[in-house]
Amino acid sequence: MLFKVEMKVTIPHDMPADVIADIKAREKAYAQALQARGKWRHLWRIAGSYANVSIFDVADNAELQELISGLPLFPYMDIGVAPLCRHPSSIHEDDR
Ligand SMILES: O=C(O)C[C@H]1C=CC(=O)O1
C-alpha cells in the first residue's frame, strides 16, 4: 500500500546543538535504511521549509504507523498521511 506522508519538523529552540546533531544523524541513518529496504520510496524536501513529502510503500496502516513512529524526529514532527491508489491515466504499471 502506498501512502503520501508529509512531515514538518519543529525543533525546540532551547534544544542543545549536540542533541540536535545526534537526533539528525540517527534520523538520516533510519531514513536511509528504510529507503534501502524499499519502504520509503520517495523523499523530497519541500523547498523553503524544514519539511518533506514522502511516499511510503508498506503492507498496511499498522506498518506505516510503526515505521513513522520510529523516526528519531517523530516527537518534533507534524505529520499528514494520505492513502494513494493507482491513477487510471498512469503509465507506471508498478504504481499500486
Ligand atoms: O529532513 C527532514 O525532512 C526530516 C527527516 C526525514 C528524513 C530525514 O532524514 O529527516
Side-chain angles (χ1 to χ4, degrees):
M1 297 173 69
L2 297 176
F3 291 90
K4 181 190 79 169
V5 180
E6 293 196 29
M7 308 175 196
K8 181 173 174 15
V9 182
T10 306
I11 294 176
H13 295 297
D14 59 352
M15 184 178 282
D18 59 329
V19 175
I20 295 173
D22 176 65
I23 295 172
K24 285 185 176 180
R26 289 189 288 113
E27 177 82 15
K28 183 172 184 173
Y30 185 86
Q32 291 187 335
L34 290 183
Q35 288 172 77
R37 287 172 54 199
K39 296 292 179 181
W40 196 328
R41 265 209 212 176
H42 294 278
L43 170 57
W44 293 94
R45 175 65 73 222
I46 299 176
S49 64
Y50 191 4
N52 72 72
V53 60
S54 293
I55 304 295
F56 278 75
D57 187 352
V58 293
D60 52 27
N61 295 5
E63 186 182 21
L64 183 68
Q65 175 65 18
E66 178 193 330
L67 297 182
I68 288 178
S69 61
L71 290 163
L73 281 171
F74 180 74
Y76 313 106
M77 286 177 166
D78 287 323
I79 298 174
V81 173
L84 303 176
C85 58
R86 191 165 189 278
H87 193 287
S89 302
S90 173
I91 63 168
H92 302 289
E93 297 296 333
D94 61 340
D95 286 351
R96 57 191 150 59

